[in-house]
Amino acid sequence: MRQFRTILSFELKNYFKNKVFVGSTLFIVAVLAVVMFLPNLIDVFGSMGGDSSDEPTEQSVILVSAPSQEMGETIAQALASAFPDQTVTWTQDDLAKIKEQVSNQEADCALVFDSLTSYTYYVYNRSLYDQTTQVANQVLVSLAQVEAMTQQGLSPDQAGEILSLQIDAKEELLGVDQAQNYWYTYIMTLALYMVIMLYGQMVASHVATEKSSRAMELLITSATPVNMMFGKVLASCIAGFVQLAVIFGSALLFYQLNLDAWGGNSVMTSLFDMPLSLLVYLLVFFVLGFLLYAFLYGAIGSTATKLEDINTSIMPLSMLFVIAFCVVMFSMGSGAVDNIAMMVCSFVPFTSPIAMFARIAMSTVPVYQIVLSIGILAVSVVGIGVLSAKIYRVGVLLYGTPPKIGAILKAVWQA
Amino acid sequence: MKLELRNIEKSFGAKQVLQGISLTAEGGQAFGLLGRNGAGKTTTIRILMDVFPQNSGEVLLDGKPIDYRKVSLGYLPEERGLYPKKPIGQQLVYFAQLKGMKRAKALASVRHWLERLGMEEYETKRLDTLSKGNQQKIQLITALAHDPDIIVLDEPFSGLDPVNAALLKDVVKEQIQKGKIVLFSSHQMNYIEEFCQEIAILNQGKIAISGNLEQIKRSYPRDRLTVFSPQYREILSQLGNRCQLVQPGEVLLRLDSPRQKQEMMGQLVARYDIDRVQVYEPSLNDIFVEYAGDHV
């Protein structure tokens, strides 16, 4: 036990004295600080530059052309209220002139009407988010409906009342609101993925470095493989956890400091409004998922002779995790987090840390499924931990080209 | 203290690397483990160090199976290597702690050894800033700092200049005098001859010969004489095919039987100008070539 503690504290010191580790953490915290203080900063700079709202701004123009003046003015009036940011102008110019004005970008666009229900839309560059026609269509449908109703003998006020009928809908949430949970689930899943990937690879390269510098010859005769493996992996787990805690802790602190400025932002409020139970699940899946992958990365690292071999050796494992991540991300994007792929992924130990977490966050998962998933994962962690220590013991003494998985397992079996 | 390896067998896959290795090393003595590359020395050492278990056979200390929790071992591996980017003092203390020392004691011991080897100024330096010989001395400290009962030194003298080699010799002698079991593995026969009373020569996973070096030497038939004489040319021409020139001034003379020794010595002294004549004894080098060479 003392040996394990010695290794753990030595490896932890390595992380916390590592300039890259400390530097990158501080950098992320600094970036977060800038982002979180942004609304206040903008206010400060805005007031320094003087208030600009009094200055007249050049508004873009929408041209409307119609067969009759009465029709043109009615349409222009209706559209003007639908496009408050733009100036809607009725024009008597002919089509060639109108096109020229749009081409010269004197006007933003033009709507040339044949009748109340038929028009041509002229625009120079159509933007990705151009919704002019949709908005215009709604306005025109209402116009046509009002006209049809008045022809049937209703007054325009009566017609307007019918069209602006309001539905009173109440909503009561019994499960989870995906729209609200989406952002923090997204960020937490991404954080889980990145931390496991980055630290796993770090464990692999630490082991391979010890091997290539031949410090291993001495380590393996000084400490038991189980102590070495568990010490290293737990140290990286603690380092990863501390880094995450510092980053999210400082983000929360900055958010609290800027609460007034961010108050109305729905993404921010949903992000920092995560329920405590979910945070506990996050912690459980973080620790278990991290350990599972770090053990495997460590075992793979021990089979590489040179640091350069690492990248190819860890590829299959990394691919597995990337696939899991993609499945989760697609499912989250589609809103169907309980689809078959996710169901399977949330019980397979290699994918369950992120898949089950995403399901818990974005859906209502029966308790027995959660318990089962965590149980399978925990048992796998212990099993893989012991197996990886055995691989480590065999792997560190093998030099030359990285051996095949079958050969290693055979050697582990025989040892 | 007596360390015994009894009938150790070990195979990796289909390849049997050790085929019944037995040897005995006593405290207060140095034991020389010899053999060509790939003979099984490192595997034997790793089994002794409990890196992996043997397939069969026993490792005994004072007649009982060795208990690695109670006995401490120090190892200087042939493949040297520590953490190149870490301060020397820090990693030496770490290795001593891994061997079970408390931190304060480990630090005191590391400082003692740095001083003993004239390296105290490097305590806070990074390992990769040191010359190869100095790195070697640092590595030696990892084998000795925790005051082990059994010390295994694999090629301890390679890469050391004569001054450092003399320093290391003193250190090794000191450890032997303290009653520790010192296991030497080296290809530099002169060092083995200087330190080791007992040797074992490994060849293809088997002990080719083992025992007391002096006795091994004496076990050779004493039917050859080494003759040192300025008249070596005359001896060569007159005694003809019994003689063999070793180097100018030195001739090896073969007798029909060891009993001829006295008579032949008398004749030589009477007939020629003889500086010295003695019974030929093989050097460790000769024994090694004989037992570990290709022809075996």
Side-chain angles (χ1 to χ4, degrees):
Chain A
M1 203 57 202
R2 193 159 89 201
Q3 191 175 63
F4 170 75
R5 278 206 307 273
T6 305
I7 296 169
L8 184 68
S9 79
F10 180 78
E11 294 288 335
L12 264 181
K13 263 186 226 151
N14 282 351
Y15 278 106
F16 295 133
K17 281 187 179 168
N18 186 327
K19 291 190 188 84
V20 179
F21 177 83
V22 176
S24 61
T25 312
L26 291 180
F27 176 75
I28 295 171
V29 169
V31 169
L32 277 173
V34 170
V35 171
M36 300 305 276
F37 279 97
L38 207 56
N40 282 335
L41 289 176
I42 289 171
D43 282 355
V44 171
F45 285 119
S47 60
M48 270 160 59
D51 205 344
S52 58
S53 62
D54 291 344
E55 290 170 22
T57 50
E58 208 176 302
Q59 281 196 314
S60 56
V61 177
I62 298 176
L63 294 177
V64 172
S65 155
S68 72
Q69 186 178 355
E70 190 198 353
M71 187 199 244
E73 279 174 350
T74 316
I75 293 171
Q77 201 184 349
L79 286 178
S81 57
F83 295 101
D85 296 338
Q86 281 134 317
T87 312
V88 183
T89 320
W90 174 65
T91 176
Q92 282 180 299
D93 296 337
D94 62 358
L95 188 61
K97 189 90 189 293
I98 290 172
K99 278 188 188 172
E100 194 188 309
Q101 284 180 43
V102 173
S103 302
N104 295 341
Q105 294 178 45
E106 285 165 27
D108 221 25
C109 59
L111 302 168
V112 178
F113 286 85
D114 303 325
S115 69
L116 195 56
T117 53
S118 157
Y119 71 93
T120 313
Y121 178 55
Y122 293 95
V123 66
Y124 185 62
N125 287 327
R126 192 170 191 275
S127 111
L128 188 60
Y129 304 105
D130 187 355
Q131 292 187 326
T132 313
T133 50
Q134 281 100 307
V135 175
N137 290 354
Q138 275 178 14
V139 171
L140 293 169
V141 166
S142 303
L143 267 183
Q145 283 169 337
V146 170
E147 189 160 302
M149 286 184 210
T150 40
Q151 276 171 12
Q152 296 293 319
L154 288 173
S155 73
D157 284 349
Q158 285 171 319
E161 213 169 282
I162 293 170
L163 284 176
S164 59
L165 192 70
Q166 290 288 326
I167 308 289
D168 183 22
K170 287 200 188 89
E171 201 175 285
E172 208 165 303
L173 195 62
L174 299 175
V176 276
D177 181 2
Q178 286 197 349
Q180 208 201 334
N181 294 3
Y182 182 79
W183 283 108
Y184 63 66
T185 312
Y186 184 87
I187 289 186
M188 289 302 162
T189 312
L190 191 68
L192 264 181
Y193 170 77
M194 293 217 349
V195 169
I196 289 176
M197 205 74 153
L198 286 175
Y199 278 85
Q201 294 184 4
M202 239 190 279
V203 171
S205 67
H206 280 184
V207 173
T209 310
E210 276 174 354
K211 197 176 161 189
S212 67
S213 73
R214 307 271 170 159
M216 195 56 86
E217 298 276 332
L218 209 56
L219 284 171
I220 200 78
T221 53
S222 307
T224 66
V226 171
N227 279 346
M228 287 296 299
M229 198 59 162
F230 279 70
K232 257 180 210 308
V233 165
L234 273 176
S236 70
C237 185
I238 294 171
F241 177 73
V242 167
Q243 193 173 34
L244 272 190
V246 166
I247 289 170
F248 283 103
S250 57
L252 186 64
L253 179 72
F254 297 148
Y255 174 70
Q256 293 293 339
L257 290 176
N258 296 288
L259 202 56
D260 295 339
W262 284 110
N265 191 305
S266 62
V267 174
M268 281 294 172
T269 34
S270 86
L271 210 58
F272 290 103
D273 220 18
M274 194 155 108
L276 189 67
S277 66
L278 204 58
L279 210 59
V280 173
Y281 281 126
L282 179 72
L283 195 64
V284 169
F285 283 112
F286 167 77
V287 170
L288 292 176
F290 189 101
L291 292 179
L292 184 82
Y293 274 92
F295 279 133
L296 283 172
Y297 274 116
I300 292 174
S302 74
T303 63
T305 306
K306 290 174 297 200
L307 214 50
E308 301 91 275
D309 298 337
I310 287 271
N311 289 333
T312 42
S313 302
I314 60 175
M315 186 105 90
L317 186 62
S318 301
M319 283 305 278
L320 185 69
F321 200 45
V322 169
I323 291 169
F325 182 68
C326 290
V327 168
V328 172
M329 281 293 148
F330 284 133
S331 304
M332 274 175 65
S334 71
V337 286
D338 286 330
N339 62 33
I340 293 188
M342 283 291 276
M343 288 291 270
V344 173
C345 284
S346 61
F347 293 106
V348 176
F350 295 101
T351 52
S352 62
I354 50 174
M356 192 42 117
F357 175 71
R359 279 186 63 202
I360 293 172
M362 289 192 64
S363 163
T364 306
V365 185
V367 176
Y368 81 91
Q369 290 195 2
I370 299 178
V371 172
L372 187 65
S373 171
I374 293 178
I376 294 174
L377 187 58
V379 170
S380 310
V381 166
V382 174
I384 286 190
V386 172
L387 178 73
S388 67
K390 285 189 172 169
I391 294 178
Y392 180 87
R393 183 188 187 130
V394 173
V396 290
L397 297 172
L398 294 174
Y399 291 99
T401 49
K404 296 204 165 57
I405 296 173
I408 294 172
L409 290 179
K410 206 172 146 194
V412 168
W413 183 253
Q414 284 168 348
Chain B
M1 257 196 323
K2 191 163 94 174
L3 175 73
E4 277 176 277
L5 268 63
R6 271 200 206 153
N7 238 332
I8 303 284
E9 306 218 346
K10 177 76 188 173
S11 43
F12 295 114
K15 191 170 181 239
Q16 192 164 11
V17 181
L18 299 183
Q19 309 175 32
I21 299 291
S22 298
L23 48 89
T24 307
E26 303 257 2
Q29 281 188 2
F31 186 95
L33 190 61
L34 309 176
R36 295 174 65 187
N37 304 322
K41 297 189 299 282
T42 307
T43 306
T44 308
I45 290 172
R46 280 179 176 164
I47 287 173
L48 171 64
M49 302 291 306
D50 198 29
V51 173
F52 41 64
Q54 62 273 29
N55 297 122
S56 65
E58 294 173 294
V59 180
L60 305 174
L61 191 68
D62 294 330
K64 281 174 268 172
I66 189 165
D67 183 351
Y68 289 99
R69 285 166 300 177
K70 287 185 187 151
V71 67
S72 77
L73 293 97
Y75 180 36
L76 177 73
E78 187 185 2
E79 295 277 2
R80 313 281 199 256
L82 292 168
Y83 294 106
K85 306 282 179 206
K86 286 209 188 321
I88 285 161
Q90 201 184 317
Q91 51 181 318
L92 286 177
V93 170
Y94 174 56
F95 281 110
Q97 278 184 289
L98 282 185
K99 294 285 195 178
M101 265 190 151
K102 291 234 167 68
R103 196 184 150 71
K105 251 185 129 181
L107 189 64
S109 173
V110 164
R111 293 225 165 109
H112 160 78
W113 277 107
L114 284 171
E115 211 171 305
R116 173 81 174 79
L117 299 178
M119 304 286 290
E120 61 269 40
E121 61 191 292
Y122 299 111
E123 190 185 327
T124 53
K125 296 249 167 41
R126 274 172 28 172
L127 184 73
D128 58 1
T129 59
L130 266 60
S131 70
K132 193 174 170 234
N134 280 341
Q135 288 194 20
Q136 176 99 325
K137 281 155 83 180
I138 296 299
Q139 184 101 37
L140 183 70
I141 296 178
T142 62
L144 299 172
H146 57 291
D147 198 22
D149 308 311
I150 301 169
I151 303 166
V152 180
L153 304 172
D154 203 344
E155 289 292 357
F157 292 98
S158 74
L160 288 184
D161 64 44
V163 176
N164 278 327
L167 184 61
L168 176 58
K169 273 195 226 171
D170 288 345
V171 169
V172 173
K173 278 178 189 155
E174 211 174 86
Q175 296 295 318
I176 295 171
Q177 274 165 13
K178 280 185 179 172
K180 303 199 169 168
I181 299 174
V182 178
L183 226 72
F184 250 105
S185 173
S186 179
H187 292 131
Q188 286 167 293
M189 300 299 160
N190 51 330
Y191 289 114
I192 301 274
E193 280 198 284
E194 191 175 338
F195 284 111
C196 305
Q197 289 90 337
E198 302 282 325
I199 62 153
I201 296 178
L202 263 65
N203 193 3
Q204 292 175 4
K206 289 184 205 143
I207 300 266
I209 185 167
S210 71
N212 184 285
L213 182 56
E214 207 54 40
Q215 284 173 5
I216 292 173
K217 285 184 178 177
R218 294 192 78 88
S219 72
Y220 277 75
R222 303 174 74 75
D223 59 355
R224 279 175 287 185
L225 296 176
T226 310
V227 184
F228 298 88
S229 165
Q231 287 181 296
Y232 68 95
R233 286 202 186 83
E234 285 88 337
I235 299 173
L236 271 174
S237 64
Q238 286 167 20
L239 294 175
N241 53 9
R242 294 167 165 264
C243 286
Q244 188 190 333
L245 181 69
V246 180
Q247 60 182 350
E250 186 183 342
V251 170
L252 189 65
L253 181 64
R254 205 173 56 249
L255 308 174
D256 292 332
S257 88
R259 274 170 298 172
Q260 277 191 318
K261 188 173 70 181
Q262 233 88 28
E263 185 195 340
M264 184 54 92
M265 277 180 170
Q267 282 182 14
L268 283 168
V269 174
R271 284 163 64 180
Y272 304 102
D273 177 9
I274 299 292
D275 289 342
R276 182 150 58 101
V277 58
Q278 64 186 56
V279 175
Y280 166 80
E281 267 191 358
S283 68
L284 182 57
N285 207 49
D286 299 329
I287 299 171
F288 184 84
V289 171
E290 184 178 340
Y291 284 96
D294 281 328
H295 57 277
V296 180

